[in-house]
Amino acid sequence: MNDNQTLPAEIERVLYTEEQVEQRIREVAAEISEKYRGRDLKLIGVLKGSVFFLTVLARAISIPVKIDFLSISSFSAKTTAPGLVRIAKDLDESIEGEDVLLVEDIVDTGFTARYLLQTLAARGPNSLALCTLLDRTSRRIVQVPVEFRCFEIPDRFVIGFGLDYLQLHRNLGCVAVMKLERNA
Ligand code: IMP
Ligand code: MG
């Protein structure tokens, strides 16, 4: 927990403190550095949630990395098109021939990650893998290969470290469970 922050009233409990999250990210960054040693790695962040994770991860990786971002629009299961995802802002540069790591804040149903992996794979990268801060496998609907994962979390809505509730709380240093029941 950042000393300048007080916990919002909407929080039921802290799942991982800022220190725990950063420690775990350093471990995963070491695995990534080892796996891609000798190669140039491109990290692709999914705006906006993964920005917080990506910057901490990138700084803990010991090999040179490039960074690019995309953003998506997705439609919740409440709409008539559950699982429909499209790219709202595309990458700035080509990924052809590159070693690409897609960096996500959370993989939940898997729809977003599956769509992005399929879309990026079609662009001819040398390799493509998925790294996520949080993984909630209990809610998975479509299977996606998660190569690097920091934490497996319970089936509760979480905020902080980039994750939002109605765009708020991304700046919370810890990852916390919300008091409200899921309505996303
Ligand atoms: P998926 O397509 O169901 O895997 O959804 C992934 C996206 O849903 C994430 O990138 C988040 O934007 C959002 N999401 C899923 N669960 C949570 C949560 O617990 N807190 C905040 N956002 C979430
Ligand atoms: Mg997201």
Side-chain angles (χ1 to χ4, degrees), residues 153-171:
I153 63 163
D155 186 11
R156 293 296 309 276
F157 194 85
V158 295
I159 52 172
F161 222 94
L163 289 110
D164 71 302
Y165 174 64
L166 302 178
Q167 298 299 329
L168 283 172
H169 307 306
R170 293 189 196 277
N171 63 320

Side-chain angles (χ1 to χ4, degrees), residues 10-63:
E10 299 92 319
I11 282 183
E12 182 184 289
R13 69 193 157 97
V14 172
L15 212 48
Y16 302 106
T17 65
E18 185 166 2
E19 291 70 26
Q20 288 171 324
V21 173
E22 292 188 352
Q23 170 57 34
R24 180 67 189 131
I25 294 174
R26 283 193 290 272
E27 290 172 11
V28 171
E31 285 176 39
I32 292 170
S33 306
E34 191 53 41
K35 166 134 195 219
Y36 292 92
R37 193 164 303 287
R39 294 189 270 168
D40 288 343
L41 179 62
K42 179 173 279 183
L43 303 179
I44 293 184
V46 185
L47 297 170
K48 313 178 185 73
S50 76
V51 169
F52 295 75
F53 172 42
L54 185 143
T55 55
V56 175
L57 182 73
R59 293 198 48 190
I61 289 176
S62 61
I63 59 169

